[in-house]
Amino acid sequence: MNTQNNNVISLDAVSKRYGTETVVSDVSFNIQSGECIVLVGHNGAGKTTLMKMMLGLTRPTSGNVEVLGANPANNSKIAQHKTLGYLPESVAFYDAMTGSEVLAFYARLKDVSKTACENLLEVVGLEHAAKRRIGTYSKGMRQRLGLAQAMLGSPQLLFLDEPTTGLDPSLRHQFYELIDALHKEGATSVISSHALNEVEARASRFIIMKSGALIASGTLEELYQQASLPVRLKVSVTPGEAPGVAERLGSEVTISKVNNQSLSLSCFDDDKMPLIRRITDLGDVVNDLQIMPPKLDEVYNHFMNGGQS
Amino acid sequence: MKILWILAMKELRDGLRNRWIAAAIIVLGTLALALSLLGSAPTGSIKASPMDISVISLASLSVYLIPLIALMLSFDTLVGEFERGTMMLLLTYPVTRWQVIIGKFLGHLMILFIAIFAGYGGAMLIMTLVTGASMEGWQAYVSMMFSSLILGAIFIALGYLVSVFVRERATAAGAAIGLWLVFVVLYDLLLFGALLIDEGQLIGQQLFSMLMLASPTDTYRILNLSMFDGVSQAAGIAGVASEAGMSSTLLVSVMLLWIAAPLAATLLIFQRREL
């Protein structure tokens, strides 16, 4: 198959146990070149462990991990790849070194020029703190330096573990612009996050993890479909007409709330259009109609609560 | 090769930045100078050159000091990076695990080289300038510095083994002190205790030589005290080593083996280590 060859990363029935504790259990997925995958899950869902296995830092207890056509844990072949960037969760540096010293050290290992280093420091807004010891940096500054080192040498494969924690909104925005720019050049990225909505716009696909197991994966649309959560409608009517309208809509419609002048309804996606037609058929009584698709958080909670919404 | 150099230079810079190298030079230099100046007093009666006396006293000092310095340099180099999390990041760079170990080793070796040659070498220069002593016997002095470097390399490698083996820095520190006590103090004590009790019945010349070679510090001592005639006469052990069949080639080989074995073990453990 043609798509098979496009796999940058492929996991096959991967499990990881520490002693008796199962951290990742039987996870399989493929990631193709150019995708932006978001691993979603609570803390302790196994996201970081999955990433470490993809990076070859940890070996799976069973199953196979393949990254760029090789086993990453085998002789650190993945490490030979100069176009890989990684930002660990709560990144740590050599505290005695200054920001620019550390970045220069990592740049030398990746064969990246000094000017590229200085540019990156500017991009993440650390140019003024570059000559200070990292020991004096705040958490946000360390995170920014972490981003800078992950971006060294325009990586083609990015692993970012909770990348935006400790970043202010403007920098967060800037960070996603950087990721977008890399994606335009064909980069593949794996981003872990404990929230869906933040990365919503960037992600080509989501992988939702819970207690070490993959419980759902797919594009945003696919996730909505899988969750099959009801669409909510809010109908505003002429004051006093609400109970009458509720009666006329009939019993097939789930009505969650009736006020004097508004009704809250919910229905499944397939029933949405017929219902809307029936509401508009009601005529002048209806002043306004608001359609509220399920929120991302609700989709997420749906999966997290084991399928019950 | 380039990666090794980058990693080694980082360790060297760390050593310079935290004044580690400066401190080691001062400690080794002052002690060497003090011993040399004080030690040159008895030379008249036994007609030994001051340089030879210096080699004897410095070799005895180095047996204690060099392993201590080397272990302090190395004990937390791996466990410290595991604990802080910097190793994890480093290994996602185009760096293999053996390059990390060898790179660090080369860096620490450079630090030790600078400390020994600046400290001891500086003391030698001052001594010849101040006392006007002859440079006779300088070969023994220089070879003492080189063998001190090898001794240091052994304990750097042993320090790595401790560092890769334990889970916490505090444990590594304790284990490093234990290692120092065993190799520098306890082993010799036990050996001499055994000799006293044994009174030459079970422990013959052969076994005794083997037991001496089993300790890197004893090997270093024999090497320095027996390699040059002037030194061994002054030390009063002329011909002892050669009688026991211990050539300097053998002694140096044993010491190199003491570097290679812990380094290889460190690498093996590190390869399996999960981060």
Side-chain angles (χ1 to χ4, degrees), chain A residues 16 18 52 55-59 75-76 78-82 84 86-89 91-97 101 105-111 149-150 152, chain B residues 2-4 6-11 13-14 17-18 81 83-99 104 270-275:
Chain A
K16 177 71 189 175
Y18 290 110
K52 283 187 183 175
L55 285 160
L57 295 171
T58 308
R59 281 180 299 272
N75 212 13
S76 331
I78 189 173
Q80 298 301 332
H81 217 267
K82 284 188 180 159
L84 183 138
Y86 172 48
L87 172 65
E89 186 186 18
V91 62
F93 295 104
Y94 306 101
D95 282 351
M97 291 166 91
E101 277 174 340
F105 167 64
Y106 286 127
R108 273 195 294 274
L109 290 175
K110 265 192 182 173
D111 240 339
Q149 67 79 27
L152 277 172
Chain B
K2 198 181 151 217
I3 294 286
L4 290 181
I6 296 169
L7 292 169
M9 285 313 284
K10 184 197 164 287
E11 294 302 328
R13 283 213 191 88
D14 285 349
R17 187 185 305 111
N18 59 21
E81 290 214 33
E83 245 185 42
R84 282 191 294 269
T86 47
M87 183 64 82
M88 200 168 71
L89 189 56
L90 182 62
L91 289 178
T92 62
Y93 275 77
V95 170
T96 57
R97 294 187 180 208
W98 72 265
Q99 282 172 328
K104 277 177 178 291
F270 188 37
Q271 291 284 9
R272 283 152 202 263
R273 172 104 187 198
E274 302 199 6
L275 291 138

Coordinates of all heavy atoms in Angstrom, one line a residue, chain A residues 16 18 52 55-59 75-76 78-82 84 86-89 91-97 101 105-111 149-150 152, chain B residues 2-4 6-11 13-14 17-18 81 83-99 104 270-275:
Chain A
K16 N 3.7 -0.7 27.7 CA 4.8 -0.4 28.6 C 4.4 -0.6 30.0 O 3.4 0.0 30.5 CB 5.3 1.1 28.4 CG 6.4 1.5 29.3 CD 7.7 0.8 28.9 CE 8.8 1.0 29.9 NZ 10.0 0.2 29.6
Y18 N 5.9 -0.6 34.1 CA 6.9 -0.4 35.1 C 6.5 -1.3 36.3 O 5.6 -0.9 37.0 CB 7.0 1.0 35.5 CG 7.6 1.9 34.4 CD1 6.8 2.9 33.8 CD2 8.9 1.8 34.0 CE1 7.3 3.7 32.8 CE2 9.4 2.7 33.0 CZ 8.6 3.6 32.4 OH 9.1 4.4 31.4
K52 N 8.4 9.2 24.7 CA 9.7 8.7 25.1 C 10.0 7.4 24.3 O 11.1 7.2 23.9 CB 9.8 8.4 26.5 CG 10.0 9.7 27.4 CD 10.3 9.3 28.8 CE 10.4 10.5 29.7 NZ 10.6 10.1 31.1
L55 N 10.9 8.4 20.9 CA 12.2 9.0 20.8 C 13.3 8.0 21.1 O 14.5 8.4 21.0 CB 12.3 10.2 21.8 CG 11.5 11.4 21.4 CD1 11.2 12.3 22.6 CD2 12.3 12.2 20.4
G56 N 13.0 6.8 21.5 CA 14.0 5.8 21.8 C 14.6 6.0 23.2 O 15.6 5.3 23.5
L57 N 14.0 6.8 24.0 CA 14.5 7.0 25.4 C 14.1 5.8 26.3 O 14.8 5.5 27.2 CB 14.0 8.3 26.0 CG 14.5 9.6 25.3 CD1 13.8 10.8 25.8 CD2 16.0 9.7 25.4
T58 N 12.9 5.2 25.9 CA 12.4 4.1 26.7 C 12.0 3.1 25.7 O 11.6 3.4 24.6 CB 11.2 4.6 27.5 OG1 11.5 5.7 28.2 CG2 10.7 3.5 28.4
R59 N 12.1 1.8 26.1 CA 11.8 0.7 25.2 C 10.4 0.2 25.6 O 10.1 0.1 26.8 CB 12.8 -0.4 25.3 CG 14.0 -0.2 24.5 CD 15.0 -1.3 24.6 NE 15.4 -1.5 26.0 CZ 16.4 -1.0 26.6 NH1 17.2 -0.1 25.9 NH2 16.7 -1.2 27.8
N75 N 20.2 1.3 19.2 CA 21.4 2.0 18.9 C 21.2 3.5 18.6 O 21.9 4.1 17.8 CB 22.1 1.4 17.6 CG 23.6 1.5 17.7 OD1 24.1 1.8 18.8 ND2 24.2 1.2 16.6
S76 N 20.1 4.1 19.1 CA 19.8 5.5 19.0 C 19.9 5.9 17.5 O 20.4 7.0 17.2 CB 20.7 6.4 19.8 OG 21.2 5.7 20.9
I78 N 17.6 7.0 15.7 CA 16.8 8.2 15.6 C 17.6 9.4 15.9 O 17.4 10.5 15.4 CB 15.5 8.1 16.4 CG1 14.5 9.3 16.0 CG2 15.7 8.1 17.9 CD1 13.2 9.2 16.7
A79 N 18.5 9.2 16.9 CA 19.3 10.3 17.4 C 20.2 10.8 16.3 O 20.7 12.0 16.3 CB 20.1 10.0 18.6
Q80 N 20.5 10.0 15.3 CA 21.4 10.4 14.2 C 20.6 11.4 13.3 O 21.3 12.0 12.5 CB 21.8 9.2 13.4 CG 22.6 8.2 14.3 CD 23.9 8.8 14.9 OE1 24.4 9.7 14.3 NE2 24.3 8.3 16.0
H81 N 19.4 11.4 13.4 CA 18.6 12.3 12.6 C 18.7 13.7 13.0 O 18.2 14.1 14.1 CB 17.1 11.8 12.6 CG 16.5 11.9 11.3 ND1 15.8 13.0 10.9 CD2 16.5 11.1 10.2 CE1 15.4 12.9 9.7 NE2 15.8 11.7 9.2
K82 N 19.3 14.5 12.2 CA 19.6 15.9 12.7 C 18.3 16.8 12.6 O 18.3 17.9 13.2 CB 20.6 16.5 11.8 CG 22.0 16.0 12.2 CD 23.1 16.8 11.5 CE 24.4 16.1 11.9 NZ 25.5 16.4 11.0
L84 N 15.4 16.4 14.0 CA 14.4 16.0 15.0 C 14.5 17.1 16.1 O 15.5 17.5 16.6 CB 14.8 14.6 15.6 CG 13.8 14.0 16.6 CD1 13.6 12.6 16.3 CD2 14.4 14.2 18.0
Y86 N 12.8 18.1 20.0 CA 12.0 17.6 21.1 C 11.9 18.6 22.2 O 13.0 19.2 22.6 CB 12.7 16.3 21.6 CG 12.1 15.7 22.9 CD1 10.7 15.6 23.1 CD2 12.9 15.3 23.9 CE1 10.2 15.0 24.2 CE2 12.4 14.7 25.1 CZ 11.0 14.6 25.2 OH 10.5 14.1 26.4
L87 N 10.8 18.8 22.7 CA 10.6 19.7 23.9 C 10.0 18.8 25.0 O 8.8 18.4 24.9 CB 9.7 20.9 23.6 CG 9.3 21.7 24.8 CD1 10.5 22.4 25.4 CD2 8.3 22.7 24.5
P88 N 10.8 18.4 26.0 CA 10.2 17.6 27.1 C 9.3 18.4 28.0 O 9.3 19.6 28.0 CB 11.4 17.1 27.9 CG 12.6 17.9 27.4 CD 12.2 18.7 26.2
E89 N 8.5 17.6 28.7 CA 7.6 18.2 29.7 C 8.5 18.8 30.8 O 9.4 18.1 31.2 CB 6.7 17.1 30.2 CG 5.6 17.5 31.1 CD 4.9 16.3 31.6 OE1 5.4 15.2 31.6 OE2 3.8 16.5 32.1
V91 N 11.0 21.2 30.9 CA 12.3 21.0 30.4 C 13.4 21.5 31.4 O 13.1 22.5 32.1 CB 12.4 21.8 29.0 CG1 12.1 23.3 29.2 CG2 13.7 21.6 28.3
A92 N 14.5 20.8 31.4 CA 15.6 21.2 32.3 C 16.9 21.5 31.5 O 17.1 20.8 30.5 CB 15.8 20.1 33.3
F93 N 17.6 22.4 32.0 CA 18.9 22.8 31.3 C 20.0 22.7 32.3 O 19.8 22.5 33.5 CB 18.8 24.1 30.7 CG 17.8 24.2 29.6 CD1 16.6 24.8 29.7 CD2 18.1 23.6 28.3 CE1 15.7 24.9 28.7 CE2 17.2 23.7 27.3 CZ 16.0 24.3 27.5
Y94 N 21.2 23.0 31.8 CA 22.4 23.1 32.7 C 22.3 24.5 33.3 O 22.6 25.5 32.6 CB 23.7 22.9 31.9 CG 23.7 21.6 31.1 CD1 23.4 21.6 29.7 CD2 23.9 20.4 31.7 CE1 23.4 20.4 29.0 CE2 23.9 19.2 31.1 CZ 23.6 19.2 29.7 OH 23.6 18.0 29.0
D95 N 22.0 24.5 34.6 CA 21.7 25.8 35.2 C 22.9 26.8 35.3 O 22.7 28.0 35.3 CB 21.2 25.6 36.7 CG 19.7 25.2 36.6 OD1 19.1 25.2 35.6 OD2 19.2 24.8 37.7
A96 N 24.1 26.3 35.3 CA 25.2 27.2 35.4 C 25.5 27.9 34.1 O 26.2 28.9 34.1 CB 26.4 26.4 35.9
M97 N 25.0 27.4 33.0 CA 25.3 28.0 31.7 C 24.3 29.1 31.4 O 23.2 29.1 32.0 CB 25.2 26.9 30.6 CG 26.3 25.9 30.7 SD 26.0 24.5 29.6 CE 26.7 25.0 28.1
E101 N 24.7 30.2 25.8 CA 25.7 29.1 25.9 C 25.0 27.8 25.6 O 25.5 26.9 24.9 CB 26.4 29.1 27.2 CG 27.6 30.1 27.3 CD 28.1 30.1 28.7 OE1 27.5 29.7 29.7 OE2 29.3 30.5 28.9
F105 N 25.5 25.3 22.5 CA 26.0 23.9 22.7 C 25.1 22.9 21.9 O 25.6 22.1 21.1 CB 25.9 23.6 24.2 CG 26.1 22.1 24.5 CD1 27.2 21.4 24.2 CD2 25.0 21.4 25.1 CE1 27.4 20.1 24.5 CE2 25.1 20.1 25.4 CZ 26.3 19.4 25.1
Y106 N 23.8 23.1 22.0 CA 22.8 22.2 21.3 C 23.0 22.5 19.8 O 22.8 21.5 19.0 CB 21.4 22.5 21.8 CG 21.1 21.9 23.1 CD1 20.6 22.7 24.1 CD2 21.4 20.6 23.4 CE1 20.3 22.1 25.4 CE2 21.1 20.0 24.6 CZ 20.6 20.8 25.6 OH 20.3 20.3 26.9
A107 N 23.2 23.7 19.4 CA 23.3 24.0 18.0 C 24.5 23.3 17.4 O 24.5 22.8 16.3 CB 23.4 25.5 17.8
R108 N 25.6 23.3 18.1 CA 26.8 22.7 17.6 C 26.6 21.2 17.4 O 27.0 20.6 16.4 CB 28.0 22.8 18.6 CG 28.8 24.1 18.4 CD 30.1 24.1 19.1 NE 29.9 24.1 20.6 CZ 29.8 25.1 21.4 NH1 29.8 26.3 20.8 NH2 29.6 25.0 22.6
L109 N 25.8 20.6 18.3 CA 25.5 19.1 18.2 C 24.7 18.9 16.9 O 24.8 17.8 16.3 CB 24.8 18.6 19.4 CG 25.6 18.5 20.7 CD1 24.6 18.1 21.8 CD2 26.7 17.5 20.6
K110 N 23.9 19.9 16.5 CA 23.0 19.7 15.4 C 23.6 20.3 14.1 O 22.9 20.4 13.1 CB 21.6 20.3 15.7 CG 20.6 19.3 16.2 CD 19.2 20.0 16.1 CE 18.2 19.0 16.7 NZ 16.9 19.7 16.8
D111 N 24.8 20.9 14.3 CA 25.4 21.5 13.1 C 24.7 22.8 12.6 O 24.5 23.0 11.4 CB 25.6 20.5 12.0 CG 27.0 20.4 11.6 OD1 27.8 21.3 11.9 OD2 27.4 19.3 11.0
Q149 N 15.3 25.5 21.5 CA 16.2 24.4 21.2 C 15.5 23.3 20.4 O 16.1 22.7 19.5 CB 16.9 23.8 22.5 CG 15.9 23.1 23.5 CD 15.5 21.7 23.0 OE1 16.2 21.0 22.3 NE2 14.3 21.3 23.5
A150 N 14.2 23.2 20.6 CA 13.4 22.2 19.7 C 13.4 22.7 18.3 O 13.3 21.9 17.4 CB 12.0 22.0 20.3
L152 N 15.7 24.3 16.7 CA 17.0 24.4 16.1 C 17.1 23.6 14.8 O 16.7 22.4 14.8 CB 18.1 23.9 17.0 CG 18.6 24.8 18.1 CD1 19.5 24.1 19.0 CD2 19.4 26.0 17.4
Chain B
K2 N 33.7 14.8 16.0 CA 33.3 16.2 16.2 C 32.4 16.3 17.5 O 32.5 17.1 18.3 CB 32.6 16.8 15.0 CG 32.6 18.3 15.0 CD 31.9 18.8 13.8 CE 31.2 20.1 14.2 NZ 29.9 20.3 13.5
I3 N 31.5 15.3 17.5 CA 30.5 15.2 18.6 C 31.3 15.0 19.9 O 31.0 15.7 20.9 CB 29.5 14.1 18.4 CG1 28.7 14.4 17.2 CG2 28.7 13.8 19.6 CD1 27.6 15.4 17.4
L4 N 32.3 14.1 19.9 CA 33.1 13.9 21.1 C 33.8 15.1 21.6 O 33.8 15.5 22.8 CB 34.1 12.8 20.8 CG 33.7 11.4 20.6 CD1 34.8 10.4 20.4 CD2 32.9 10.9 21.8
I6 N 32.8 18.2 21.0 CA 31.8 19.2 21.5 C 31.5 18.8 23.0 O 31.4 19.7 23.9 CB 30.5 19.2 20.6 CG1 30.9 19.7 19.2 CG2 29.4 20.1 21.3 CD1 29.7 19.5 18.2
L7 N 31.2 17.5 23.2 CA 30.9 17.1 24.5 C 32.0 17.3 25.5 O 31.8 17.7 26.7 CB 30.4 15.6 24.5 CG 29.1 15.3 23.7 CD1 29.0 13.8 23.5 CD2 27.9 15.9 24.5
A8 N 33.2 17.0 25.1 CA 34.4 17.1 26.0 C 34.6 18.6 26.3 O 34.9 19.0 27.5 CB 35.6 16.6 25.3
M9 N 34.5 19.5 25.3 CA 34.7 20.9 25.6 C 33.6 21.5 26.5 O 33.9 22.4 27.3 CB 34.6 21.7 24.2 CG 35.9 21.6 23.4 SD 37.4 21.7 24.3 CE 37.4 23.5 24.5
K10 N 32.4 20.9 26.5 CA 31.4 21.3 27.4 C 31.8 21.0 28.8 O 31.7 21.9 29.7 CB 30.1 20.7 27.1 CG 29.0 21.2 28.0 CD 27.7 20.4 28.1 CE 26.9 20.8 29.2 NZ 27.4 20.3 30.5
E11 N 32.3 19.8 29.1 CA 32.8 19.5 30.4 C 33.9 20.3 30.9 O 34.0 20.8 32.0 CB 33.2 18.0 30.5 CG 32.1 17.0 30.2 CD 31.0 17.1 31.2 OE1 31.2 17.5 32.4 OE2 29.8 16.8 30.8
R13 N 34.6 23.4 29.8 CA 34.1 24.7 30.1 C 33.4 24.8 31.5 O 33.5 25.7 32.3 CB 33.1 25.2 29.1 CG 33.8 25.6 27.8 CD 33.1 26.7 27.1 NE 33.7 26.9 25.8 CZ 33.3 26.2 24.7 NH1 32.3 25.4 24.8 NH2 33.9 26.5 23.6
D14 N 32.7 23.7 31.8 CA 32.0 23.6 33.1 C 33.0 23.7 34.2 O 32.9 24.4 35.2 CB 31.2 22.3 33.2 CG 29.9 22.3 32.4 OD1 29.6 23.4 31.9 OD2 29.3 21.2 32.2
R17 N 34.3 27.2 34.5 CA 33.2 28.1 34.9 C 33.0 28.0 36.4 O 33.0 29.0 37.1 CB 31.9 27.8 34.2 CG 30.9 28.8 34.5 CD 29.5 28.5 33.9 NE 29.6 28.3 32.4 CZ 29.5 27.1 31.8 NH1 29.2 26.0 32.6 NH2 29.5 26.9 30.5
N18 N 33.0 26.7 36.9 CA 32.7 26.6 38.4 C 34.0 26.6 39.2 O 34.0 26.2 40.4 CB 31.8 25.4 38.7 CG 32.5 24.1 38.2 OD1 33.7 24.1 38.0 ND2 31.7 23.1 38.0
E81 N 22.6 14.3 35.6 CA 21.9 14.6 34.4 C 20.6 13.8 34.3 O 19.6 14.2 33.7 CB 22.8 14.4 33.2 CG 23.9 15.4 33.1 CD 24.2 15.8 31.6 OE1 23.3 15.8 30.8 OE2 25.4 16.0 31.3
E83 N 18.8 12.9 36.9 CA 17.9 13.5 37.9 C 17.4 14.8 37.4 O 16.2 15.1 37.5 CB 18.7 13.8 39.2 CG 18.2 12.9 40.3 CD 18.9 13.3 41.6 OE1 19.1 14.5 41.9 OE2 19.2 12.4 42.4
R84 N 18.2 15.7 36.8 CA 17.7 17.0 36.3 C 16.9 16.8 35.1 O 16.1 17.7 34.8 CB 18.9 17.9 36.1 CG 19.4 18.5 37.4 CD 20.4 19.6 37.1 NE 21.6 19.1 36.4 CZ 22.7 18.7 37.0 NH1 22.8 18.8 38.3 NH2 23.7 18.3 36.4
G85 N 17.2 15.8 34.3 CA 16.4 15.6 33.0 C 17.1 16.1 31.8 O 16.6 16.1 30.7
T86 N 18.4 16.6 32.0 CA 19.1 17.1 30.9 C 19.6 16.0 30.0 O 19.8 16.2 28.8 CB 20.3 17.9 31.3 OG1 21.0 17.2 32.3 CG2 19.9 19.2 31.9
M87 N 19.8 14.8 30.5 CA 20.3 13.6 29.7 C 19.2 13.3 28.7 O 19.6 12.9 27.5 CB 20.6 12.4 30.6 CG 21.2 11.3 29.9 SD 22.7 11.6 29.1 CE 23.8 11.4 30.5
M88 N 18.0 13.3 29.1 CA 16.9 12.9 28.2 C 16.9 13.8 26.9 O 16.9 13.3 25.8 CB 15.6 13.2 29.0 CG 14.4 12.4 28.4 SD 13.1 12.5 29.6 CE 12.6 14.2 29.5
L89 N 17.1 15.1 27.2 CA 17.1 16.0 26.0 C 18.3 15.8 25.2 O 18.3 15.7 23.9 CB 17.1 17.5 26.5 CG 16.9 18.5 25.5 CD1 15.6 18.3 24.7 CD2 16.8 19.9 26.1
L90 N 19.5 15.6 25.8 CA 20.7 15.4 25.1 C 20.6 14.2 24.2 O 21.1 14.3 23.1 CB 21.9 15.2 26.1 CG 23.3 15.1 25.5 CD1 23.7 16.3 24.8 CD2 24.3 14.8 26.6
L91 N 20.0 13.1 24.6 CA 20.0 11.9 23.8 C 19.0 12.0 22.7 O 19.0 11.1 21.8 CB 19.6 10.7 24.7 CG 20.7 10.3 25.7 CD1 20.2 9.1 26.5 CD2 22.0 9.9 25.0
T92 N 18.2 13.1 22.6 CA 17.4 13.2 21.4 C 18.1 14.0 20.3 O 17.6 14.3 19.3 CB 16.1 14.0 21.7 OG1 16.3 15.3 22.2 CG2 15.2 13.2 22.7
Y93 N 19.4 14.4 20.7 CA 20.2 15.1 19.7 C 21.0 14.0 18.9 O 21.0 12.9 19.3 CB 21.1 16.1 20.4 CG 20.4 17.4 20.6 CD1 19.5 17.6 21.6 CD2 20.7 18.5 19.7 CE1 18.8 18.8 21.7 CE2 20.0 19.7 19.8 CZ 19.0 19.8 20.8 OH 18.4 21.0 20.9
P94 N 21.7 14.4 17.8 CA 22.4 13.4 17.1 C 23.7 12.9 17.9 O 24.8 13.1 17.4 CB 22.8 14.2 15.8 CG 22.1 15.4 15.8 CD 21.7 15.7 17.2
V95 N 23.4 12.3 19.0 CA 24.5 11.9 19.9 C 24.1 10.5 20.3 O 23.0 10.2 20.8 CB 24.5 12.8 21.2 CG1 25.4 12.2 22.2 CG2 24.9 14.2 20.8
T96 N 25.1 9.6 20.2 CA 24.8 8.2 20.7 C 25.3 8.1 22.2 O 26.0 9.0 22.7 CB 25.6 7.1 19.9 OG1 27.0 7.5 19.9 CG2 25.1 7.1 18.5
R97 N 24.8 7.1 22.8 CA 25.1 7.0 24.3 C 26.6 6.8 24.5 O 27.1 7.3 25.5 CB 24.3 5.8 24.9 CG 22.8 6.1 24.8 CD 22.0 5.1 25.5 NE 20.6 5.5 25.4 CZ 19.6 5.2 26.3 NH1 19.9 4.5 27.4 NH2 18.4 5.6 26.2
W98 N 27.3 6.0 23.7 CA 28.7 5.8 23.9 C 29.5 7.2 23.7 O 30.4 7.5 24.4 CB 29.3 4.7 23.1 CG 29.4 5.0 21.6 CD1 28.6 4.7 20.6 CD2 30.5 5.6 21.0 NE1 29.0 5.1 19.4 CE2 30.2 5.7 19.6 CE3 31.8 6.2 21.4 CZ2 31.1 6.3 18.6 CZ3 32.6 6.8 20.5 CH2 32.3 6.8 19.1
Q99 N 29.0 8.0 22.8 CA 29.6 9.3 22.6 C 29.5 10.2 23.8 O 30.4 10.9 24.2 CB 29.0 10.0 21.4 CG 29.5 9.5 20.1 CD 28.7 10.1 18.9 OE1 27.5 10.4 19.0 NE2 29.4 10.2 17.8
K104 N 32.4 12.8 27.7 CA 32.5 13.3 29.1 C 33.9 12.9 29.6 O 34.6 13.7 30.3 CB 31.4 12.7 30.0 CG 30.1 13.5 30.0 CD 29.1 12.8 30.8 CE 27.8 13.5 30.9 NZ 27.8 14.8 31.6
F270 N 24.6 1.9 30.7 CA 23.9 3.1 30.1 C 23.1 2.7 28.9 O 22.0 3.3 28.7 CB 25.0 4.1 29.8 CG 24.5 5.4 29.4 CD1 23.4 6.0 30.0 CD2 25.1 6.2 28.4 CE1 22.9 7.2 29.6 CE2 24.7 7.4 28.0 CZ 23.5 7.9 28.6
Q271 N 23.6 1.8 28.1 CA 22.9 1.4 26.9 C 21.5 0.8 27.2 O 20.5 1.0 26.5 CB 23.6 0.3 26.1 CG 24.9 0.8 25.4 CD 24.7 1.7 24.2 OE1 23.6 2.0 23.9 NE2 25.7 2.0 23.5
R272 N 21.4 0.1 28.3 CA 20.2 -0.5 28.7 C 19.3 0.4 29.5 O 18.1 0.2 29.7 CB 20.5 -1.7 29.7 CG 20.9 -2.9 28.9 CD 21.8 -3.8 29.8 NE 22.7 -4.6 29.0 CZ 22.4 -5.9 28.8 NH1 21.3 -6.4 29.2 NH2 23.2 -6.6 28.0
R273 N 19.8 1.5 30.0 CA 19.1 2.4 30.9 C 18.0 3.1 30.2 O 18.1 3.5 29.0 CB 20.1 3.5 31.4 CG 19.5 4.6 32.1 CD 19.7 4.4 33.6 NE 19.0 5.3 34.4 CZ 19.3 5.6 35.6 NH1 20.3 5.0 36.2 NH2 18.6 6.5 36.3
E274 N 16.8 3.1 30.8 CA 15.7 3.8 30.3 C 15.5 5.1 31.0 O 15.7 5.2 32.2 CB 14.4 3.0 30.4 CG 14.5 1.6 29.7 CD 13.2 0.9 29.5 OE1 12.2 1.6 29.7 OE2 13.2 -0.2 29.0
L275 N 15.1 6.1 30.2 CA 15.1 7.5 30.8 C 13.6 8.0 30.8 O 12.8 7.5 30.1 CB 15.9 8.5 29.9 CG 17.3 8.2 30.0 CD1 18.0 8.3 28.7 CD2 18.0 9.2 31.0

